[in-house]
Amino acid sequence: MTRTRAHRRTLRHTAPAALAATALALTGCSVAGGASDDASTGAAGGTVTLVTHDSFALSDGLLEQFEADTGLTVQQVAPGDGGALVNQLILTKDAPLGDVVYGIDTTFASRAIDEGVLAPYTSSAPAAADAAAYAPDDSGSLTAVDVGDVCLNVDHAWFTAQGVPEPTTLEDLTQPQYRDLTVVTNAATSSPGLAFLLATVGAFGEDGWQQYWTDLTANGLKVAEGWSDAYYTDFSGGGGGGSRPIALSYASSPPETVPEGGDEPTTGALLGTCFRQVEYAGVLAGAQNPEGAQQLLDWLLSDEVQADIPGSMYMYPVSSAVDLPEEWARWAPQAEQPIEVPLADIAEHRDEWVRDWTDLVIG
């Protein structure tokens, strides 16, 4: 992984709690062409303001081409990661931060909808039919743009060298032969950490997930504050010389471990441990430029943007019309049956689960 890729992935995996303190300090910035005093006027050739999480990134030239094609100028406001993003949308819903939002994910979708920060819009883009499969409800308020599977990753070389069979299930991690081998990230401070907590809730139920974490902790679990520390420092397969061959990451991580001159990755994802995150876009209620917002949302579902998402944001596109990078198609399959938790349950219990997890695991 290059330094740029590592930096972007680290940003993606930073949780709401870690960024909330800086959310209010962030101001709008022009993505291309410079901010204007009459931003979001809704006039033809005017400005459309895109509100995103702070790891939004696309290849050079894509956004400029959208502006050239539409006559719009795109201004970006980035108030933090997924949770900070939704919090700011709620706090500013009477005077919206912009016109369209990208980056509301599975864990906060219900909250955004329930708080009324979004306006219904049904995209006419060809990929909208694929996106509909990930719709959080029937309100038409959020349109799926990309998806990612949070999964445990294993270091094949370590297990081969030690003569230990690789784990395949969540339950395996609590067995004595896997003692002191696993590192995950903090559910209160990292996005994948929260997703993995939800995976255990989905797998073991309200009455069983706490006992699972008790057993996992007793078996020598290590909790890192963020994804970068867990993957690059503690994980033996992350290139940093770590000692733990089981780490929480993404199903898209293994292709990045193909060594120079090699033809297969040195790590693999345990697809039976995955929780699927979906990232959505939506037109903001009270938008100054709703037509521009709709154009921008449609563009996020275009073939050009959808094909760019794996390389720029390390997520899977929702469109079935674009090809994945060759290494993704070969080494980064999505989970066929990801672990699920109803969005309504996440909305109702998310904060409670995080508090309970923190008391139980961190103390």
Side-chain angles (χ1 to χ4, degrees), residues 4 60 72 87 159 184 254 303:
T4 299
D60 291 344
L72 291 163
N87 287 339
F159 284 100
V184 301
D303 287 351

Side-chain angles (χ1 to χ4, degrees), residues 200-341:
T200 64
V201 172
F204 301 108
E206 181 64 27
D207 297 329
W209 73 265
Q210 294 191 38
Q211 184 59 55
Y212 175 76
W213 281 97
T214 298
D215 295 342
L216 193 58
T217 301
N219 207 39
L221 176 72
K222 181 171 184 178
V223 178
E225 283 304 294
W227 174 86
S228 183
D229 288 338
Y231 196 85
Y232 290 118
T233 300
D234 297 310
F235 184 39
S236 61
S243 62
R244 293 183 177 246
I246 306 168
L248 186 65
S249 194
Y250 274 69
S252 56
S253 298
E256 298 176 20
T257 67
V258 177
E260 187 173 353
D263 58 4
E264 62 182 55
T266 60
T267 65
L270 304 183
L271 298 183
T273 69
C274 297
F275 181 85
R276 181 155 296 165
Q277 290 180 318
V278 181
E279 290 188 313
Y280 298 97
V283 176
L284 290 172
Q288 293 292 310
N289 189 354
E291 294 82 8
Q294 293 169 8
Q295 286 181 276
L296 185 52
L297 192 155
D298 289 346
W299 175 73
L300 291 172
L301 293 178
S302 68
D303 287 351
E304 293 79 8
V305 174
Q306 288 288 297
D308 191 64
I309 283 172
S312 293
M313 292 190 281
Y314 315 105
M315 301 287 276
Y316 302 90
V318 295
S319 175
S320 60
V322 300
D323 294 328
L324 290 172
E326 181 181 353
E327 64 270 22
W328 280 48
R330 187 176 182 188
W331 301 115
Q334 291 179 266
E336 294 183 2
Q337 294 182 310
I339 301 169
E340 297 179 345
V341 178

Side-chain angles (χ1 to χ4, degrees), residues 182-203:
T182 304
V183 58
V184 301
T185 51
N186 193 318
T189 60
S190 82
S191 177
L194 176 56
F196 188 60
L197 167 58
L198 295 176
T200 64
V201 172

Side-chain angles (χ1 to χ4, degrees), residues 36-269:
S36 63
D37 292 336
D38 60 347
S40 297
T41 62
T47 296
V48 58
T49 301
L50 171 64
V51 187
T52 75
H53 56 48
D54 55 7
S55 55
F56 175 78
L58 291 173
S59 293
D60 291 344
L62 275 180
L63 197 55
E64 290 80 1
Q65 188 60 53
F66 170 78
E67 292 182 315
D69 291 342
T70 62
L72 291 163
T73 296
V74 179
Q75 176 174 302
Q76 184 181 354
V77 177
D81 202 355
L85 171 64
V86 173
N87 287 339
Q88 290 303 300
L89 293 178
I90 293 169
L91 289 172
T92 61
K93 66 180 179 182
D94 293 332
L97 291 173
D99 302 300
V100 60
V101 60
Y102 161 81
I104 296 173
D105 71 17
T106 308
T107 58
F108 290 95
S110 292
R111 186 178 180 203
I113 294 170
D114 292 344
E115 291 286 347
V117 303
L118 301 158
Y121 173 64
T122 300
S123 174
S124 59
D130 293 321
Y134 299 101
D137 62 9
D138 58 3
S139 69
S141 299
L142 286 173
T143 301
V145 174
D146 54 60
V147 300
D149 287 347
V150 177
C151 315
L152 291 164
N153 281 215
V154 296
D155 178 0
H156 294 317
W158 187 96
F159 284 100
T160 298
Q162 298 298 320
V164 176
E166 294 182 1
T168 59
T169 68
L170 291 172
E171 291 89 344
D172 285 346
L173 304 188
T174 65
Q175 300 304 308
Q177 64 182 331
Y178 302 111
R179 183 174 182 83
D180 298 331
L181 300 187
T182 304
V183 58
V184 301
T185 51
N186 193 318
T189 60
S190 82
S191 177
L194 176 56
F196 188 60
L197 167 58
L198 295 176
T200 64
V201 172
F204 301 108
E206 181 64 27
D207 297 329
W209 73 265
Q210 294 191 38
Q211 184 59 55
Y212 175 76
W213 281 97
T214 298
D215 295 342
L216 193 58
T217 301
N219 207 39
L221 176 72
K222 181 171 184 178
V223 178
E225 283 304 294
W227 174 86
S228 183
D229 288 338
Y231 196 85
Y232 290 118
T233 300
D234 297 310
F235 184 39
S236 61
S243 62
R244 293 183 177 246
I246 306 168
L248 186 65
S249 194
Y250 274 69
S252 56
S253 298
E256 298 176 20
T257 67
V258 177
E260 187 173 353
D263 58 4
E264 62 182 55
T266 60
T267 65

